[in-house]
Amino acid sequence: RMRMKAFVVEKNHNDEIISGVKDVLKPICGENEVIIKATYSSLNYKDALSSVGNPGVTRVFPHITGVDVAGEIVETKSNIFKVGQKVIVTGYDLGMNTNGGHSQYVKVPASWVVAIPSSLSDKEAMIYGTAGLTAALSINELIDNNITQESGDILVTGATGGVGSLAVAILSKLGFNVVALSGKEDKISYLKEIGASEVVLREEFLKDSSKALLKPRFAGVIDTTGGDILSTALKQTNYDGVVTCCGLTASSSLNTNIFPFILRGVRLIGIDSVECSLEKKQDAWEKLASKYSVKNLNEITNEISLDGIKDAYEKLLNGTAVGRYLLRIED
């Protein structure tokens, strides 16, 4: 069997988690499965958690990280896809308890696979990646719930992160007025460059967070952080406003009250890009390839190779990462 390079997380004989690039055996294609020759993947917060053996993300060792991948099918035992097709996989169990996208060849069930829209390159698909898919699903919910450009400002929290950066850029492209929330004062000009019309710093935002309700300010919110930031955003959402929530970089807890819901009719909508239906995923990818596509993708992208993964994970875990990490997988 052929060997391939992959970023592997394993336990040593002392049960300590170690990780790095290794030579491993290329996977064997099973019934209803495909093997993808990977060209690009990306790095997400969940990958970083997986790399340190977070039990909420993975319990299988050794495993290969990478919750998304793009490339070309080189083997198939499925009647859905043909050899040579360009495809994307995001979510499901990829990169958690199943070997993920940070390797030269990736084996997955055919039922996880989505064809790349023809107007999107595999590189662009992975600059968007799971983060872009999550941003698109969040924006779909705002639009499907009648939030328009005329409704008022849209708040994006954790705005320098992967989902946040892409949400800011896409909303701005669609003509929404975007207020970006960040804890990084040195990134105000970056956020304005990618489309924020205003930047609010986290400390300022949270200063009245103990009040039961705050002055209504946002027609919609895309929250990527959870915790006190989400509860404070809910208290500032306009009558009939819509808040989506997709992340927990600040906290997985939500301490709130029911006033925004019963006095202002605010709706809180959870976003899951992992198990959501293939139809929803395909629709989001088609939008990312067309009306949601953003021009300044390179401004939010750091391109790395397999050898750069470890360093990038550290930045993701300690909160210093900005934008998206695009992983180029070489032969």
Side-chain angles (χ1 to χ4, degrees):
R1 264 166 79 187
M2 231 179 96
R3 298 187 79 80
M4 64 173 189
K5 283 192 167 26
F7 189 87
V8 181
V9 180
E10 53 199 332
K11 283 186 174 173
N12 67 12
H13 54 278
N14 295 328
D15 251 11
E16 296 160 332
I17 303 285
I18 53 171
S19 64
V21 180
K22 284 187 81 167
D23 264 341
V24 295
L25 285 169
K26 185 186 159 193
I28 295 170
C29 193
E31 212 44 50
N32 296 317
E33 290 181 334
V34 299
I35 291 183
I36 299 163
K37 184 177 191 298
T39 48
Y40 288 94
S41 178
S42 73
L43 268 61
N44 298 281
Y45 187 65
K46 193 186 260 183
D47 296 318
L49 292 175
S50 164
S51 77
V52 291
N54 181 299
V57 177
T58 187
R59 293 177 185 277
V60 173
F61 300 96
H63 75 270
I64 297 166
T65 58
V67 298
D68 52 25
V69 70
E72 187 175 304
I73 291 182
V74 287
E75 281 179 58
T76 175
K77 287 194 176 172
S78 143
N79 51 16
I80 314 174
F81 292 100
K82 299 192 226 5
V83 167
Q85 268 186 288
K86 297 272 195 162
V87 293
I88 317 168
V89 184
T90 61
Y92 303 109
D93 193 43
L94 190 71
M96 296 191 290
N97 299 306
T98 304
N99 282 333
H102 297 164
S103 64
Q104 290 172 308
Y105 292 91
V106 184
K107 174 179 87 158
V108 291
S111 59
W112 291 5
V113 179
V114 170
I116 297 183
S118 56
S119 55
L120 214 54
S121 70
D122 34 2
K123 180 178 180 176
E124 288 167 329
M126 277 301 111
I127 292 178
Y128 289 120
T130 293
L133 177 65
T134 306
L137 292 168
S138 305
I139 291 165
N140 283 349
E141 289 294 347
L142 296 188
I143 292 170
D144 292 348
N145 283 282
N146 305 318
I147 302 299
T148 67
Q149 291 80 345
E150 288 70 51
S151 304
D153 292 353
I154 308 296
L155 176 72
V156 176
T157 73
T160 60
V163 179
S165 291
L166 285 163
V168 168
I170 296 166
L171 285 164
S172 164
K173 188 218 171 172
L174 293 173
F176 285 93
N177 201 54
V178 185
V179 178
L181 177 67
S182 175
K184 302 185 175 89
E185 195 162 354
D186 58 334
K187 292 293 174 252
I188 291 175
S189 61
Y190 162 80
L191 289 166
K192 292 197 165 162
E193 263 166 49
I194 63 169
S197 42
E198 187 187 336
V199 179
V200 177
L201 290 171
R202 187 167 53 214
E203 239 169 77
E204 174 67 18
F205 183 76
L206 289 174
K207 70 176 199 295
D208 292 325
S209 62
S210 57
K211 292 184 176 168
L213 262 184
L214 294 161
K215 195 168 158 235
R217 189 166 169 208
F218 305 110
V221 178
I222 291 181
D223 174 63
T224 70
T225 59
D228 290 344
I229 292 171
L230 175 54
S231 62
T232 307
L234 284 164
K235 294 171 187 177
Q236 295 183 63
T237 304
N238 296 355
Y239 196 88
D240 263 350
V242 175
V243 179
T244 66
C245 124
C246 69
L248 45 76
T249 52
S251 170
S252 60
S253 297
L254 177 60
N255 300 309
T256 187
N257 62 57
I258 62 168
F259 295 131
F261 307 108
I262 63 170
L263 297 179
R264 290 183 184 158
V266 169
R267 281 156 289 174
L268 176 60
I269 298 172
I271 302 295
D272 169 51
S273 65
V274 177
E275 295 288 342
C276 79
S277 70
L278 271 183
E279 291 75 32
K280 259 191 174 182
K281 284 186 179 181
Q282 192 81 57
D283 169 68
W285 281 113
E286 296 294 346
K287 284 187 174 134
L288 287 167
S290 53
K291 62 181 182 192
Y292 288 5
S293 75
V294 286
K295 295 283 179 280
N296 49 356
L297 280 179
N298 290 331
E299 285 172 33
I300 61 174
T301 307
N302 313 287
E303 191 170 315
I304 60 169
S305 64
L306 284 167
D307 294 327
I309 290 180
K310 219 174 156 104
D311 184 44
Y313 280 157
E314 264 178 44
K315 292 193 171 78
L316 283 159
L317 289 168
N318 67 24
T320 57
V322 174
R324 294 280 291 142
Y325 283 100
L326 173 73
L327 175 65
R328 185 182 68 259
I329 298 165
E330 287 140 342
D331 290 341

